[in-house]
Amino acid sequence: MGRFTTSAEMVDDGVTSGDEFVLWLKQQREEHPHEVTRIPFADLDGWDFDGRTGNLAHRSGRFFTIEGVRVQTDHATWEQPIIDQPEIGILGILVKEFGGVLHCLIQAKAEPGNPDGLQLCPTVQATRSNYTGAHGGRAVPYLEYFRGEGGARTLVDSLQSEQTSWFLGKRNRNVVVEVSTDVPLLEGFCWLTIGQLHQLLLTDNRVNMDTRTVLSCIPFGVPGGPARGDAPPEYREGLLRSMAPAAPSLHTDGEVLGWLTEIRARREFRRRVVPLADIGHWHRSDDEIAHDEGTFFRVIAVDVRAGNREVTRWTQPLLAPVGPGRVTLLVRRIGGVLHLLLQARSSAGVFDLAELAPTVQYRPGNYAEDPPFAGFCGGQTRYDTVQSEEGGRFHHALNRYQIIEIDDEVEAPEGFRWLTVHQVTRLLEHGNYVNVEMRSLLAGLHVTW
Amino acid sequence: MGRFTTSAEMVDDGVTSGDEFVLWLKQQREEHPHEVTRIPFADLDGWDFDGRTGNLAHRSGRFFTIEGVRVQTDHATWEQPIIDQPEIGILGILVKEFGGVLHCLIQAKAEPGNPDGLQLCPTVQATRSNYTGAHGGRAVPYLEYFRGEGGARTLVDSLQSEQTSWFLGKRNRNVVVEVSTDVPLLEGFCWLTIGQLHQLLLTDNRVNMDTRTVLSCIPFGVPGGPARGDAPPEYREGLLRSMAPAAPSLHTDGEVLGWLTEIRARREFRRRVVPLADIGHWHRSDDEIAHDEGTFFRVIAVDVRAGNREVTRWTQPLLAPVGPGRVTLLVRRIGGVLHLLLQARSSAGVFDLAELAPTVQYRPGNYAEDPPFAGFCGGQTRYDTVQSEEGGRFHHALNRYQIIEIDDEVEAPEGFRWLTVHQVTRLLEHGNYVNVEMRSLLAGLHVTW
């Protein structure tokens, strides 16, 4: 934990200087052009709508399937398309000490749905087929270190969920492994400290979702050193206290688990996978599957030409949300310790009935009524960037991520709770507790030390 | 934790003496006759096979459904009937101090599948419909204390799985709440210390599965007092050390979680719910659904006449396993600390891909080959009783539960790990880690102090 903290504190003196990094990224961008064009479904290569179910799947049975899902909760019953990709992949960051400080091996990679081409990705993003070598194919660089080879030591390892509004129970393994032997630096990769990655989280669309979620799972000790932003000292003090294991918290860990257990047990949540052809209020045209009112998202098809991919040209479906989303975390000092206002959220694809989500998470315009706290005004902004979600599945899925500190005493309404940073971090040792949007914000919170 | 330990240490001096308990149980048995008769499916009242899917369901949509499931793993592909009961019920024990010692409010209750009529049940076994009052109906006694009423304080609360071979992802909330005000003692209920319940776990089929699983979730401190059984002092010493938070263990908690995460990510496990009519190698006759080779289990129908139930006569399907099962836990002192040999097991209905199970868990005769350690000979038996599984769903589902201490150094094979008692107990704070058979053995382990 202490070594992670040291790496997080180092922004300027890593083996890759800030200038070198900028140059490297510019070069990557030039060398790896990426062109994405929308096409009609009929032009998809290897993808078909099943004659009976209407599900969109690849002929090989690989990749993923677009199916339908019917959900019944206490408040509503609805049907929607959903991505079914049952296998668990690996999101892995390889770390190694240089000058006594841990550095992360980061990859520059373009995904078809990215709004702005290249992003910074984990060392490895591998499917289970890659991992087990089931389908042969070109080797994924550095994968051996995540298979217990090369003398690597596992520091972080848990199953974490992906976007539960669009994926059916999808989870990936979030892993950090450390190696102490020499590691060849391949083209397209770069060593960065955790502090450098934290700084990059201030730039829109630069650090991809997979990197953000792995970063969020790293347990930090309480950092020292100078403050990072321009937040007042009492905010910083409250944040650092909130990260400490013995942080006084509004609720005990047992109370938090009991509260979530009660919600999972009491809340009505029934889900059935149904044929895509059978779902109501959605229609399919030549080039999209869309809601009758144009809300939520569309399923589209794209043609991709890329310079640095194993396959340099391919076609695939993508899920394109309608409009940018808002993801806001309200934070407040309670007894001098920063607390985060989380909600227990049940989306269509949630794996275990409800997960902890940021205070506000929605796409304006989808519902007649905005969710609680959506119209919240006031407070001090501590973090505010636009980040995109997984570009391999989602097209321009932008969210504005904000952390806002409030002074007013706000009671947590039904389904909400105030938690410390340490409590959320502890839950991340296990899967099925903290959703991916909250994990992105947790990574962002570390920029505000 | 200390108060649970004190209650566990008290066997003889509780408010209900041993003699009073024996008398009370005898009286309960006499006053509540229970008659169960097998009937053809056609005589089920309100239950029908769906014309299209062949699924067996109640007309009201309540209770449970028998459906089909298709499972594909690394080793095999199979289809089987499975019970789908998506809602989460409550298994709750109400505790209260008498003379400064916690006592559990236990109910004597007969379930149609019990091999021997009455068993000792938790204070409350309620479905979600009971809990939310969705269907009206007669009130479940003491339920209010589990709904945050009556000033009760929650001491234990987690979602735990039921039999994953027969239930589709079924989980119940395991709860212990404490009340300090007066509690009326209703007919059919009795106050027992945890120590008394532990002793009763030595009798075959006396303590029902629901009580055993709630008992297993109670965290104990290291007990003092005299030894309970005739195990040698070094066994007892090893067990007590294994219960302590700082017990030196073969693997760290992080290593154990990483090992299970790796298995969940790497193991192939695909499951589809399919119409019961579509599954292969199973057939339906007038009075049973059975495997073509007579193995695994049958689905049967019964007529029940009971004296002390809300409804005094009803019919229902039950799942009847073929032959008794064997559930064995090998334990060994490693560095003077007792370690338990657990396996990561993936059954058809498992909620999260794999759960920790006892060393051996199988029904002889179902497979050509016995599982690892099934033929294990030698060692010292520390616990050995026959217990039945949930009598509301399963007919005479008997398992012989054994804990056997071995001296030999046995390496944990692939998919197995040696854990301390404290490590298993810590995992029980969360759901989806420890299967119900292992929880029964954990409850049994406490008889061997």
Side-chain angles (χ1 to χ4, degrees), chain B residues 390-407:
Chain B
E390 174 59 43
R393 297 292 173 268
F394 309 123
H395 186 262
H396 295 195
L398 304 179
N399 279 314
R400 181 173 176 190
Y401 283 97
Q402 288 178 293
I403 298 174
I404 294 175
E405 185 183 18
I406 58 173
D407 290 329

Side-chain angles (χ1 to χ4, degrees), chain A residues 67 74 88 128 131 157 171 173 258 261-262 265-266 268 272 351-353 426 430 432-433, chain B residues 67 74 88 128 131 157 171 173 261-262 264-266 268 272 351-353 426 430 432-433:
Chain A
E67 312 192 352
D74 299 299
I88 292 170
R128 185 178 169 282
Y131 187 68
D157 193 356
R171 295 176 301 164
R173 196 172 155 197
T261 299
E262 216 273 340
R266 192 165 198 162
E268 166 113 22
R272 274 273 174 187
F351 183 81
D352 195 0
L353 302 165
R426 281 291 307 279
H430 308 273
N432 308 330
Y433 281 124
Chain B
E67 313 192 350
D74 300 298
I88 293 170
R128 186 179 169 281
Y131 187 69
D157 194 354
R171 295 175 303 164
R173 196 172 155 197
T261 298
E262 215 272 340
R264 284 174 169 171
R266 192 166 199 163
E268 166 112 23
R272 275 273 173 187
F351 183 81
D352 194 358
L353 302 166
R426 281 290 308 280
H430 309 273
N432 307 330
Y433 280 125

Side-chain angles (χ1 to χ4, degrees), chain B residues 212-228:
Chain B
R212 300 197 304 269
T213 172
V214 179
L215 282 178
S216 79
C217 293
I218 293 177
F220 295 107
V222 180
R228 286 189 163 173

